[in-house]
């Protein structure tokens, strides 16, 4: 929850200008945000125990940004990524106490993509407001499946038993409470692949914040 690493950096989003400028070619964009993962958790970064061959391959084929500044918690990281603004400016500066919400009127990345005719989807953890009025569907996403906040904020927490049941949502509908967390990565990935296949002939923005 407190250690977050961008596995796949956002590429080309700055080309989508909100002043009416349009590109002849609109590249599809996929952002994968890996939660609960530290820099040293990959074998390509020298971990002697963990074996991460697929991420190692991505590492070898990628442009790597090694000078970066990130927030130390879930909500600020997500808010800064989706707004391009510091957490204290966009309002989403903490994970609780009403400070996990993006300020009204701030344009988000999926909203910019939508204005350019992109289909947008999020499969994974949101953590920028857990009621429907703050859901991803109110911030530019067409499709949403995942958790409204951290997967460890549930009754099975090892020390804090005060958390309510954890909802798994599709759009604004709660599919089930306290879902099998062993299945989350598979569910997110399956939906991501289906979204890509369904929209491969048109521009899309896919956000995969794994939890």
């Amino acid at each position: 929850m407190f250690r977050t690493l961008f596995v796949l950096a956002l590429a080309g989003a700055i080309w989508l200008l909100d002043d009416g400028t349009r590109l002849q070619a609109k590249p599809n964009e996929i952002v994968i945000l890996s939660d609960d993962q530290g820099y040293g958790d990959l074998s390509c970064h020298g971990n002697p125990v963990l074996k991460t061959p697929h991420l190692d391959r991505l590492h070898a084929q990628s442009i790597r940004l090694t000078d970066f500044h990130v927030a130390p918690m879930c909500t600020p990281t997500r808010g800064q990524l989706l707004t391009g603004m510091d957490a204290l400016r966009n309002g989403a500066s903490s994970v609780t106490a009403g400070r996990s919400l993006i300020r009204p009127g701030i344009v988000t990345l999926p909203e910019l993509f939508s204005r350019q005719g992109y289909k947008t989807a999020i499969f994974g953890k949101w953590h920028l407001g857990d009621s429907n009025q703050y859901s991803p569907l109110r911030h530019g996403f067409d499709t949403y499946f995942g958790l409204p906040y951290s997967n460890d904020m549930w009754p099975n927490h090892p020390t804090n038993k005060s958390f309510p049941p954890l909802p798994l949502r599709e759009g604004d509908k709660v599919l089930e409470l306290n879902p099998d967390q062993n299945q989350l990565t598979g569910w997110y990935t399956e939906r991501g692949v289906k979204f890509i296949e369904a929209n491969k002939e048109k521009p899309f923005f896919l956000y995969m914040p794994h939890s």
Side-chain angles (χ1 to χ4, degrees), residues 31 33 78 81-82 121-123 125 141 205-209:
V31 176
L33 180 62
R78 286 156 173 72
L81 171 66
L82 294 180
I122 168 177
F123 303 117
K125 184 175 79 172
F141 285 105
F205 170 59
L206 174 59
Y207 176 42
M208 300 278 293

Side-chain angles (χ1 to χ4, degrees), residues 71-141:
M73 293 185 291
C74 305
T75 292
T77 295
R78 286 156 173 72
Q80 290 176 167
L81 171 66
L82 294 180
T83 66
M85 300 174 65
D86 181 80
L88 293 177
R89 291 191 62 198
N90 67 39
S93 61
S94 185
V95 296
T96 59
R99 292 180 292 165
S100 62
L101 310 175
I102 297 173
R103 297 187 196 280
I106 292 179
V107 178
T108 64
L109 190 59
E111 288 175 320
L112 291 177
F113 277 113
S114 292
R115 293 176 186 180
Q116 296 292 330
Y118 277 63
K119 297 295 292 183
T120 59
I122 168 177
F123 303 117
K125 184 175 79 172
W126 174 237
H127 217 158
L128 289 167
D130 56 284
S131 63
N132 286 346
Q133 62 180 319
Y134 303 115
S135 85
L137 303 183
R138 311 297 181 268
H139 287 285
F141 285 105

Side-chain angles (χ1 to χ4, degrees), residues 106-180:
I106 292 179
V107 178
T108 64
L109 190 59
E111 288 175 320
L112 291 177
F113 277 113
S114 292
R115 293 176 186 180
Q116 296 292 330
Y118 277 63
K119 297 295 292 183
T120 59
I122 168 177
F123 303 117
K125 184 175 79 172
W126 174 237
H127 217 158
L128 289 167
D130 56 284
S131 63
N132 286 346
Q133 62 180 319
Y134 303 115
S135 85
L137 303 183
R138 311 297 181 268
H139 287 285
F141 285 105
D142 301 315
T143 303
Y144 166 44
F145 172 86
L147 304 179
Y149 42 79
S150 293
N151 60 300
D152 61 351
M153 298 172 68
W154 69 332
N156 294 332
H157 191 281
T159 59
N160 188 343
K161 302 301 182 180
S162 65
F163 289 118
L166 177 67
L168 176 67
R169 291 181 175 171
E170 185 156 32
D172 289 337
K173 179 183 178 181
V174 175
L175 295 181
E176 64 176 297
L177 298 175
N178 298 326
D180 181 357

